[in-house]
Amino acid sequence: RKEVEQDPGPFNVPEGATVAFNCTYSNSASQSFFWYRQDCRKEPKLLMSVYSSGNEDGRFTAQLNRASQYISLLIRDSKLSDSATYLCVGANAGNNRKLIWGLGTSLAVNP
Amino acid sequence: DGGITQSPKYLFRKEGQNVTLSCEQNLNHDAMYWYRQDPGQGLRLIYYSQIVNDFQKGDIAEGYSVSREKKESFPLTVTSAQKNPTAFYLCASMGTGNQPQHFGDGTRLSIL
């Protein structure tokens, strides 16, 4: 089992829709998580950090469920510009300061 | 502005040639990372460094080498031993504590 797993999608949704991605992790000792977005042929950019139960920033909400070991990302009122790949990342619980990257979920928002 | 600078943006390698990708950061971050990304694939860790003059192999270190002589700089050399170097190379840095990684805008390497 991969340490961080995501549904690869693609998710195709109309503009204005609400879409949710789930990400599961296997290391129960992981302390912090991040969501990044990556546009085609670009570098990943930080969308949100999740250190406790969740975080909200405008149309984006992340929730962390430690009991079930998953993190979700909810996008409300989807825009065309939200089309991208969304990467779920967990901080390794050890001292080596590595991040464990999911393979990403592809989102296409259609007009 | 603080950030991470990778150069060049595009690089072409001939058979049997070593090439070096530059990564410089002015964020005063201790940790730096090199990733490789193939089309449609996820990020794979090549090497990382937690402190000056120290670095560790990641998951796919074969055919690559790094140095960390200065805090700001973490160059990656793709050696001739790396038989399939064509990929998108991303450099990242990270501050102390449970901080996220910040990325440069990448170098695309191709074989001539």
Side-chain angles (χ1 to χ4, degrees):
Chain A
R1 181 185 172 187
K2 289 190 173 64
E3 290 191 61
V4 173
E5 289 201 73
Q6 298 181 248
D7 181 344
F11 284 65
N12 284 286
V13 302
E15 256 187 302
T18 296
V19 61
F21 309 135
N22 274 346
C23 167
T24 59
Y25 62 94
S26 59
N27 189 337
S28 60
S30 293
Q31 293 298 308
S32 50
F33 300 88
F34 309 97
W35 282 101
Y36 284 77
R37 74 168 274 166
Q38 186 175 25
D39 293 286
C40 189
R41 299 176 66 81
K42 298 283 190 182
E43 77 278 17
K45 293 188 176 172
L46 180 67
L47 181 64
M48 194 170 290
S49 302
V50 186
Y51 297 113
S52 56
S53 60
N55 197 359
E56 184 170 332
D57 183 5
R59 297 182 294 109
F60 299 85
T61 301
Q63 289 193 314
L64 171 60
N65 185 319
R66 291 195 185 274
S68 301
Q69 292 185 210
Y70 76 81
I71 314 105
S72 63
L73 177 68
L74 184 77
I75 306 175
R76 290 179 295 277
D77 189 23
S78 301
K79 311 291 185 193
L80 296 177
S81 57
D82 293 334
S83 298
T85 296
Y86 290 82
L87 302 167
C88 173
V89 192
N92 193 301
N95 291 328
N96 61 16
R97 308 199 66 214
K98 288 165 61 176
L99 296 186
I100 309 301
W101 292 79
L103 296 181
T105 297
S106 175
L107 172 66
V109 181
N110 305 306
Chain B
D1 284 339
I4 301 174
T5 302
Q6 288 188 242
S7 63
K9 197 172 180 72
Y10 298 95
L11 186 59
F12 297 91
R13 194 192 88 170
K14 294 180 183 177
E15 289 282 341
Q17 187 183 40
N18 293 352
V19 292
T20 297
L21 284 59
S22 170
C23 178
E24 304 278 331
Q25 55 101 357
N26 61 4
L27 299 167
N28 200 33
H29 286 169
D30 286 316
M32 296 187 74
Y33 305 79
W34 274 106
Y35 293 94
R36 168 181 173 142
Q37 190 174 34
D38 293 278
Q41 304 297 312
L43 300 182
R44 291 189 290 168
L45 183 64
I46 305 172
Y47 268 100
Y48 65 107
S49 167
Q50 299 185 65
I51 198 167
V52 174
N53 292 323
D54 188 42
F55 49 82
Q56 289 80 39
K57 291 181 179 180
D59 302 316
I60 55 163
E62 187 173 346
Y64 300 97
S65 66
V66 293
S67 63
R68 186 88 187 274
E69 296 176 2
K70 297 186 300 181
K71 187 175 187 178
E72 301 79 21
S73 179
F74 191 39
L76 173 75
T77 296
V78 183
T79 75
S80 57
Q82 173 47 251
K83 296 306 179 190
N84 184 21
T86 297
F88 186 38
Y89 290 87
L90 288 158
C91 178
S93 71
M94 186 164 76
T96 56
N98 293 323
Q99 296 297 313
Q101 289 180 358
H102 298 270
F103 285 84
D105 54 11
T107 293
R108 294 199 177 275
L109 175 62
S110 302
I111 294 183
L112 277 179

